[in-house]
Amino acid sequence: MSRVVVMGAGSWGTTIAKVIADGGCDVMLYSRREEVAQEINESHRNGDYLPGIQLPPGLFATSDVATALQGAEQIYLAVPAQTLRENLEVWREFIPKGATLVSLIKGLEQGSGLRMSQVMVEATGLPIEQMAVVSGPNLALEIAKGEPAASVCACPDVERANEVARTCSSDYFTVFTNHDLIGTELGGVLKNLIAVAIGIVNGLGYGQNTKASIMTRGLAEITKFAVAHGARRRTLFGLAGLGDLIATSESSLSRNFRAGEMLGRGYTKKEVLKRLLQTAEGLSSVAPVLKIAAEKGIEMPIVTQVSDVIEGRMRAGDFGRQLNLADDVEVES
């Protein structure tokens, strides 16, 4: 079996490590906090991020980067999008040259607007063929509890995609494969923006008609954006697009939904960030997405309204009243 490492012991990193261990493969989990690694090794728990979840004996943890990455063949990256480049620049001397790097991150880099696979190539100097992404409806606590779920792995190298899918699958978590790295990655990024929008209208107390309208029109917006970047339309209607959007758009387990809900209830961006404790990638991805959309001439009225609410340019109570600004052509089949 390949040596598998997960870098990042937050809720999703720990969950993926658990899935891999439950699938029969030993896995090393890197935590920057020694006390978290110690808790995982001694009591098989990560109480800060997965309270009540017993971790399997095949899951080990360390706070030492060199120890974690030594001999690694598959390296899963589960850190906030805005810290990925900085982390990789520190870690790259320890990354084996032939390893597959797997992004579990759903965000764009602020400033550059790069997808995570692009950041991974730049920061490590490794070829894009060694980069993969796992994405889909991934609410960590549900999966950690063993509730059945599925995701997709995309990688330019077919065999690497298959290897990652085999490693990540267990009796309750199934990973499929495709070759659309761009679409799979952008689906995970863009659905967060619509989840924030759904959270806003939920915080306002609006009902299912409003939510369904925004979700559907939001899917049209993000599909248009992704296709303009070379994604396959069908990817956005699969697990990495529509599937992830459904899971993230109305669950209290979703940080992006909770962030939007607080905005809808009148909290400011600063107050939301203070109360979330964990990163909501949707909040940091809005600006780079809209910048890129403007450069390509892509209209995204719902995402624009999300940005206006986040930055205080629009009252939350006015959100969603301008759906008529959206392209009046329905999503193409």
Side-chain angles (χ1 to χ4, degrees), residues 2-8 16 20 27-28 30 65 68-78 84 88 91-92 94-104 120 124 126 130-134 160 164 167-168:
S2 62
R3 187 169 187 278
V4 181
V5 179
V6 178
M7 303 296 286
I16 279 291
I20 293 170
V27 56
M28 178 64 74
Y30 166 77
V65 173
L69 292 172
Q70 184 177 10
E73 296 178 38
Q74 291 182 16
I75 303 170
Y76 295 76
L77 301 168
L84 178 62
L88 286 176
W91 299 343
R92 67 183 167 197
F94 304 107
I95 296 175
K97 296 302 182 184
T100 301
L101 274 63
V102 186
S103 171
L104 304 175
M120 288 151 61
T124 65
L126 298 174
Q130 290 179 226
M131 307 303 161
V133 57
V134 170
R160 287 180 190 267
V164 170
T167 299
C168 280

Side-chain angles (χ1 to χ4, degrees), residues 7-157:
M7 303 296 286
S11 55
W12 186 221
T14 305
T15 296
I16 279 291
K18 178 181 184 295
V19 168
I20 293 170
D22 283 343
C25 184
D26 287 349
V27 56
M28 178 64 74
L29 178 61
Y30 166 77
S31 169
R32 60 182 177 82
R33 293 163 52 197
E34 169 60 30
E35 64 270 22
V36 173
Q38 185 174 354
E39 180 188 15
I40 291 170
N41 289 329
E42 293 180 355
S43 64
H44 301 291
R45 296 271 185 160
N46 186 347
D48 286 350
Y49 295 103
L50 290 179
I53 299 297
Q54 187 72 21
L55 301 176
L59 195 168
F60 308 92
T62 181
S63 60
D64 183 76
V65 173
T67 299
L69 292 172
Q70 184 177 10
E73 296 178 38
Q74 291 182 16
I75 303 170
Y76 295 76
L77 301 168
V79 298
Q82 307 315 318
T83 70
L84 178 62
R85 184 182 296 273
E86 177 185 353
N87 281 320
L88 286 176
E89 288 173 350
V90 174
W91 299 343
R92 67 183 167 197
E93 65 177 293
F94 304 107
I95 296 175
K97 296 302 182 184
T100 301
L101 274 63
V102 186
S103 171
L104 304 175
I105 309 164
K106 299 176 180 180
L108 295 180
E109 185 178 52
Q110 289 183 321
S112 70
L114 294 178
R115 291 175 282 111
M116 294 297 98
S117 63
Q118 295 172 307
V119 174
M120 288 151 61
V121 168
E122 286 193 0
T124 65
L126 298 174
I128 189 64
E129 288 75 19
Q130 290 179 226
M131 307 303 161
V133 57
V134 170
S135 192
N138 300 146
L139 297 172
L141 187 58
E142 291 184 1
I143 295 171
K145 289 178 178 178
E147 297 180 14
S151 283
V152 62
C153 173
C155 180
D157 185 320

